Amino acid sequence: MSKKVAILTSGGDAPGMNACIRAIVLVCERSGFDVLGYLHGYNGLLKQQYRELDARQMHNLTQRGGTILHSARCLEFKTDESARLAAANLDELGVTTLFVIGGDGSFRGAQHLGNFWDGQIIGLPGTIDNDIVGTDATIGYFTAIETAVQSVDKVRDTADAFERVFLVEVMGRHAGFLGLNGALASASDYVILPELFENEEKTLKDILTQLNERRDQRGNVSYIIILAENLWPGGIADLVSKLEQRTETEVRPVILGHVQRGGSPVSQDRLLAMKLGAHAATLIGKPITGIMVGEQNGQAVEVPLPLTWEHSKPLDDLSVNTMTLLMNNRYA
Ligand SMILES: Nc1ncnc2c1ncn2[C@@H]1O[C@H](COP(=O)(O)OP(=O)(O)O)[C@@H](O)[C@H]1O
Ligand SMILES: O=P(O)(O)OC[C@H]1O[C@](O)(COP(=O)(O)O)[C@@H](O)[C@@H]1O
């Protein structure tokens, strides 16, 4: 009997998930394995909702954003009862390997399932947040930076025309990777990130000092602040109003939101997705389970799932130092 493997995508979708599905399916097909795709994350696993996947369906897929398997959050999957049901459903279909493409929450779900299922479980890091330890980057992160940068470039045009202050909110849940690199690559003026945030007063003072210095030296200037979501205590509207009071000028907010999750994946995400997906498929049937396949320094690595979430992934020093030199601590 030929081996049967399954794939699901879970949590926040990320550009490149389709390229990863394709890589897994193509390698499986070469090896003569059957592949099915569960729909809507862990929901599909609980409801036995799936479709069969073969190489023909993978045509023209790499460049598509989103995920053909759909994604979802599934709170009930946290219960033991759900994990037992999922295990029974996998066994009923004869699935022996499950690939979970998602973020740290999805990996917790995979680990939970592993407590009740004897099959092989392999995670692949798919999230725009890049907040997964054990891999240099996650699938979707580069595209999200690109989208943020293109959006800020456009904001800059109108900000320049009016010499206005803009506050742009980016995603990232609790991680500043997207904010930091989006801010740097768009040559923004100031960035507020969860990892570096001290308090409201200090942040407001820093911004005021920098903006006033700029205005003293150059007259009216445009000024763009990048704000990571879920960070400012009173939300973006509160920061806008505090900045308007203190700068005595209009401040306009822009919330980039889910736009950052969409779009055709950039090459870096396609390549990462293909490399990780293809490598993961070569592990089928080997005595290794409960791991994430990641990339570190150009090498594929296999990392035990708990290590991917036990600690927060730190921002890299080079990016932070560059930001300090060119953005937050540059007054002229
Ligand atoms: N502790 C957990 N136990 C079981 N399942 C979990 C756990 N944490 C998350 N999940 C599952 O993973 C899904 C995605 O997690 P979430 O944190 O929303 O997204 P992401 O995987 O992108 O981080 C959840 O909706 C749930 O189905
Ligand atoms: O789509 P939702 O449920 O509103 O979730 C928004 C969150 O999902 C993300 O886009 C991706 O996060 P995850 O990959 O951890 O799901 C976060 O940046 C954002 O905070």
Side-chain angles (χ1 to χ4, degrees):
M1 210 173 72
S2 107
K3 253 190 195 314
K4 196 177 262 184
V5 312
I7 309 173
L8 63 81
T9 49
S10 162
D13 52 286
M17 281 182 163
N18 283 326
C20 190
I21 294 168
R22 172 179 172 271
I24 296 170
V25 170
L26 295 191
V27 174
C28 284
E29 196 152 289
R30 283 171 66 116
S31 310
F33 304 153
D34 293 333
V35 189
L36 58 86
Y38 277 109
L39 305 173
H40 311 114
Y42 290 113
N43 294 292
L45 199 46
L46 297 181
K47 296 182 185 145
Q48 279 302 44
Q49 288 177 340
Y50 62 90
R51 55 181 268 204
E52 274 153 28
L53 299 173
D54 63 40
R56 277 167 306 168
Q57 300 161 25
M58 300 298 112
H59 181 65
N60 246 340
L61 189 59
T62 297
Q63 68 272 38
R64 280 172 59 191
T67 157
I68 55 164
L69 297 178
H70 303 284
S71 193
R73 310 199 195 268
C74 172
L75 289 184
E76 65 175 297
F77 198 67
K78 294 188 177 179
T79 63
D80 291 359
E81 197 189 348
S82 291
R84 273 196 202 95
L85 174 61
N89 285 345
L90 286 159
D91 287 341
E92 184 182 78
L93 294 177
V95 172
T96 51
T97 300
L98 175 68
F99 295 98
V100 174
I101 310 174
D104 62 318
S106 302
F107 289 172
R108 284 172 214 261
Q111 181 76 4
H112 177 56
L113 173 64
N115 295 329
F116 300 88
W117 187 53
D118 287 338
Q120 183 182 31
I121 300 177
I122 299 178
L124 293 125
T127 167
I128 63 166
D129 293 355
N130 192 32
D131 57 347
I132 296 184
V133 172
T135 186
D136 293 343
T138 56
I139 297 163
Y141 168 55
F142 296 108
T143 308
I145 294 178
E146 191 57 38
T147 303
V149 168
Q150 284 181 16
S151 306
V152 177
D153 285 351
K154 292 187 170 85
V155 168
R156 176 68 78 181
D157 288 343
T158 174
D160 262 356
F162 271 71
E163 291 160 333
R164 253 178 182 157
V165 177
F166 269 84
L167 186 56
V168 181
E169 184 183 284
V170 295
M171 273 189 166
R173 219 190 273 255
H174 308 296
F177 295 95
L178 182 52
L180 174 59
N181 286 294
L184 262 178
S186 61
S188 293
D189 298 284
Y190 196 91
V191 63
I192 309 172
L193 302 170
E195 292 84 348
L196 306 174
F197 182 69
E198 290 178 42
N199 58 61
E200 282 189 47
E201 202 42 48
K202 178 174 185 315
T203 307
L204 286 167
K205 219 171 128 217
D206 277 357
I207 292 172
L208 256 286
T209 309
Q210 191 187 58
L211 185 56
N212 288 337
E213 189 78 27
R214 294 266 169 89
R215 284 176 169 166
D216 285 350
Q217 294 196 17
R218 304 188 209 165
N220 268 343
V221 286
S222 66
Y223 188 84
I224 296 183
I225 303 163
I226 306 293
L227 170 68
E229 64 173 349
N230 302 324
L231 177 57
W232 193 261
I236 188 168
D238 178 69
L239 180 51
V240 166
S241 108
K242 286 186 171 132
L243 284 169
E244 284 193 327
Q245 280 163 23
R246 300 212 190 179
T247 58
E248 293 173 356
T249 45
E250 288 174 335
V251 176
R252 292 284 191 257
V254 176
I255 299 177
L256 295 187
H258 290 77
V259 166
Q260 294 158 103
R261 286 238 293 262
S264 179
V266 298
S267 304
Q268 280 160 297
D269 280 325
R270 297 182 193 195
L271 292 169
L272 182 63
M274 285 184 197
K275 289 182 209 170
L276 299 187
H279 179 75
T282 66
L283 301 177
I284 293 169
K286 293 198 174 153
I288 179 165
T289 185
I291 52 110
M292 173 197 75
V293 171
E295 186 186 66
Q296 291 175 19
N297 299 319
Q299 301 292 323
V301 291
E302 289 120 35
V303 184
L305 286 173
L307 296 188
T308 67
W309 71 71
E310 270 171 10
H311 301 287
S312 306
K313 185 175 184 177
L315 298 172
D316 67 281
D317 288 346
L318 184 58
S319 298
V320 173
N321 292 342
T322 311
M323 178 278 285
T324 307
L325 290 168
L326 299 182
M327 295 179 60
N328 285 18
N329 288 11
R330 181 174 65 90
Y331 293 99

